[in-house]
Amino acid sequence: MLYAIFARDIPDSVATRSATRERHMAYLKPLVDRGRVMLAGPLPAVDSTEPGSAGMYGSLLIVEFDSLDEAQDWANNDPYLTEGVFEEVIVKPFKRIVP
């Protein structure tokens, strides 16, 4: 089943996010390699794909897992959460309709 993972950054997360990005991407890679990531990316804090010092508001991922518990466990161990980039993470089942 698909799960939406919505994460909100701490205020002023630019430096922490940058320092943790490589570990976050390495953590995500096995799911990408298995074709389980439908989409993933950051949410700019301002209306721009390059927000500069405004940084990111958070992240959104749509990922396939076998259960909500598995999705929540994965999200709870994401370096962006364990190393303090994310202030809040919400994991919910997602039903794709389009496309």
Side-chain angles (χ1 to χ4, degrees):
M1 179 161 188
L2 295 177
Y3 295 90
I5 301 172
F6 178 80
R8 186 167 43 92
D9 281 21
I10 60 168
D12 302 315
S13 65
V14 174
T16 308
R17 183 179 267 270
S18 178
T20 310
R21 186 174 191 280
E22 188 174 316
R23 287 183 297 283
H24 166 72
M25 295 304 292
Y27 185 68
L28 186 60
K29 188 176 183 332
L31 293 175
V32 172
D33 289 348
R34 293 191 332 246
R36 298 186 105 184
V37 178
M38 304 306 118
L39 67 86
L43 304 167
V46 295
D47 190 14
S48 173
T49 58
E50 298 297 329
S53 63
M56 300 300 170
Y57 173 82
S59 295
L60 174 65
L61 301 90
I62 306 294
V63 185
E64 181 182 8
F65 288 100
D66 293 332
S67 69
L68 179 58
D69 286 342
E70 184 182 335
Q72 187 68 63
D73 184 60
W74 184 89
N76 288 345
N77 289 288
D78 183 338
Y80 271 1
L81 181 62
T82 63
E83 297 188 32
V85 175
F86 293 152
E87 159 171 276
E88 176 184 32
V89 176
I90 298 168
V91 180
K92 294 290 184 181
F94 178 79
K95 181 179 176 183
R96 182 189 344 216
I97 302 297
V98 177

